[in-house]
Amino acid sequence: NKRPTLSNGKHIDQNWNTVATYILPHLGDRPVAEIKRREVVEALRPIWHSKNTTAARTLGRLKEIIELARLDHDLDIPNPAMFCTRTAFGYSAKRTEHHVALPPERLPEFWAWLQDVNTEETIRIATQLLVLTAKRTGETRFAKWSFFNANNCIWNTPKGLMKARLLHRVPLSRQARAVLDNAAVLSAGKALVFHKASTQSSTISENAIL
């Protein structure tokens, strides 16, 4: 049921893999109506503190699975995956790990580095456009010339490439338009803005930009 609503293949795999890894070995061969809360707790206890985020998400997915079973089979049972986790596992201190970020005042320094760093010109230009527009790597890598209006003033990313599945419009600065002019020279009339002939998908890799 969830697969059509998930656009990212990694997320689709995660939804199933955590259940397959941490739940099915303990409860996979049990009728849903016989599963007790104590068994759910014991299945997740080994990872609750060491892999808290994974455990919490797995519990949420198990709730959905059992809720679907209750609806599809009209089961008159409480959902055994619904309980107070603090009571069951005790307090779990969450350690928030922020992504690495660049202080805004160092942006000119980064831009100068980006212009001189030894890399493929397509990678350089794609990264420049990403920085200037705050777009995601996927939206940038799969950008087509047809997404831009006649004067390259607006970048229209179709909903199929967007995480929220909504059309996304970005006004382009003078600097961003200059980057696109350079990209046009390199793409040589190809549909993709950042065409790369040596790859099967004709796109640059995400890791190259990262």
Side-chain angles (χ1 to χ4, degrees):
N1 281 355
K2 290 181 67 176
R3 185 180 293 273
T5 69
L6 299 172
S7 59
N8 188 308
K10 179 181 177 181
H11 292 165
I12 293 173
D13 290 341
Q14 285 176 338
N15 265 262
W16 175 251
N17 290 343
T18 56
V19 173
T21 300
Y22 301 113
I23 297 299
L24 296 189
H26 302 279
L27 306 174
D29 59 352
R30 298 287 308 289
V32 169
E34 294 181 6
I35 296 174
K36 307 299 181 185
R37 280 180 294 183
R38 174 183 53 79
E39 295 174 291
V40 175
V41 171
E42 292 306 315
L44 292 174
R45 188 184 300 282
I47 63 166
W48 190 262
H49 294 286
S50 61
K51 300 179 180 179
N52 182 256
T53 299
T54 297
R57 289 176 179 172
T58 303
L59 178 60
R61 291 159 189 160
L62 181 60
K63 287 179 185 177
E64 293 178 321
I65 291 170
I66 296 177
E67 198 61 30
L68 182 62
R70 293 175 70 216
L71 291 170
D72 280 356
H73 300 282
D74 198 23
L75 299 177
D76 186 19
I77 60 168
N79 190 325
M82 297 183 69
F83 53 84
C84 176
T85 56
R86 180 169 293 190
T87 300
F89 303 111
Y91 178 75
S92 180
K94 294 184 178 180
R95 298 176 179 85
T96 301
E97 294 184 9
H98 297 288
H99 291 292
V100 175
L102 186 72
E105 59 271 17
R106 293 192 62 191
L107 187 55
E109 177 188 341
F110 169 72
W111 191 261
W113 173 85
L114 185 57
Q115 289 180 308
D116 295 333
V117 67
N118 182 22
T119 186
E120 292 182 37
E121 198 61 25
T122 303
I123 303 296
R124 186 194 325 279
I125 293 175
T127 307
Q128 287 176 331
L129 188 64
L130 182 148
V131 170
L132 289 168
T133 58
K135 295 287 277 180
R136 295 174 182 271
T137 53
E139 297 161 29
T140 304
R141 292 167 51 233
F142 293 100
K144 296 181 179 180
W145 287 113
S146 59
F147 297 172
F148 299 84
N149 68 355
N151 298 318
N152 281 349
C153 293
I154 300 291
W155 180 356
N156 297 289
T157 302
K159 61 183 181 180
L161 286 178
M162 296 301 300
K163 187 175 181 179
R165 288 296 184 257
L166 295 172
L167 174 69
H168 189 239
R169 301 174 74 246
V170 175
L172 298 175
S173 64
R174 173 174 52 83
Q175 293 86 347
R177 295 198 297 273
V179 169
L180 282 172
D181 288 342
N182 293 333
V185 174
L186 291 177
S187 67
K190 302 295 185 181
L192 285 170
V193 176
F194 303 109
H195 178 85
K196 187 174 177 62
S198 61
T199 64
Q200 186 173 2
S201 63
S202 298
T203 61
I204 56 179
S205 76
E206 180 178 30
N207 284 334
I209 294 180
L210 294 177

